[in-house]
Amino acid sequence: MLLKQDTLRGIAEGRITLAFRRWTQPTVKAGGTLLTLMGQLAIERVDPVSIEALTAPDAHGAGFEDLDALVLLLSKRAKGDVYRVAFGPMGVDPRITLRDEVPDDSAAFEAITNRLDRWDRASRVGPWTLAVLSRLEESPGVRAGDLADWLGMEKAPFKANVRKLKGLGLTESLEIGYRLSPRGRAVLRHLGSNS
């Protein structure tokens, strides 16, 4: 479920508590979470609803000026059912905390390096994790396209790979490019000492 920056800000400020989507099948479920650029969002409810049952409070809760604007948006896409998604409070992105958690024993390092090894073995382009971590250590704040070119990768797969590393708390996004987190630097040192 994609949410625009304005919507995320509204959720974080408490002004927006709902979203409406037309789906053939919901992409989120009640009790789940959604990791966004502004934090982790709790999904409290996901309910089918008819367009005729929508109300002005629904529209305002979703950040629309009025009911007509919400109905117009939902009417643009004829395929799928309409769902009302109710959000809980925006929480802290768990990857932010993880970035500062430097592994303190060999078992923790082994768990991370095993995951990196699995990604390397499954990759169509061959091993990439050490090369990406090393390049980010050498070149923080460089555009993703330039980093991908240096590594001989296409930009979209490169960015997907960096997101995987970010999920382990090894990298963090900057306004332009990325950098290694303290956890990422420790893992890179560990990989270097074992090579």
Side-chain angles (χ1 to χ4, degrees):
M1 178 175 187
L2 295 175
L3 296 167
K4 295 180 180 177
Q5 283 291 102
D6 288 345
T7 302
L8 290 172
R9 270 193 294 277
I11 294 168
E13 294 167 0
R15 293 182 291 106
I16 295 178
T17 58
L18 300 172
F20 291 87
R21 293 291 188 272
R22 228 183 231 286
W23 288 319
T24 52
Q25 191 165 18
T27 62
V28 296
K29 63 181 181 177
T33 59
L34 183 64
L35 206 48
T36 74
L37 293 173
M38 295 188 70
Q40 186 164 319
L41 183 58
I43 307 295
E44 292 186 340
R45 295 182 58 105
V46 180
D47 299 307
V49 62
S50 69
I51 288 182
E52 297 76 28
L54 296 175
T55 64
D58 285 330
H60 294 137
F64 288 88
E65 193 170 307
D66 56 37
L67 181 58
D68 291 339
L70 173 59
V71 169
L72 178 65
L73 177 76
L74 294 171
S75 299
K76 287 182 179 179
R77 185 172 180 209
K79 203 171 188 181
D81 298 317
V82 176
Y83 289 86
R84 177 190 292 118
V85 180
F87 301 122
M90 182 80 72
V92 176
D93 182 338
R95 299 171 301 183
I96 293 172
T97 304
L98 194 58
R99 292 190 304 223
D100 292 324
E101 291 180 8
V102 175
D104 56 1
D105 61 27
S106 60
F109 277 114
E110 185 177 340
I112 294 169
T113 56
N114 286 342
R115 175 76 61 91
L116 299 177
D117 287 342
R118 281 196 303 275
W119 289 340
D120 282 342
R121 285 192 308 272
S123 173
R124 293 181 189 161
V125 298
W128 59 269
T129 58
L130 181 58
V132 170
L133 290 169
S134 298
R135 179 53 74 175
L136 293 180
E137 174 74 355
E138 296 164 10
S139 307
V142 173
R143 288 180 344 103
D146 293 336
L147 290 167
D149 288 345
W150 287 341
L151 292 162
M153 301 172 94
E154 292 182 26
K155 183 178 174 181
F158 169 79
K159 290 177 81 169
N161 286 341
V162 172
R163 280 194 297 276
K164 289 179 185 178
L165 296 172
K166 186 176 183 180
L168 290 180
L170 304 181
T171 66
E172 52 190 292
S173 298
L174 302 172
E175 193 170 320
I176 296 174
Y178 315 92
R179 70 176 169 210
L180 289 186
S181 66
R183 181 181 180 92
R185 287 191 297 275
V187 167
L188 183 60
R189 282 192 304 274
H190 177 77
L191 291 171
S193 68
N194 288 338
S195 58

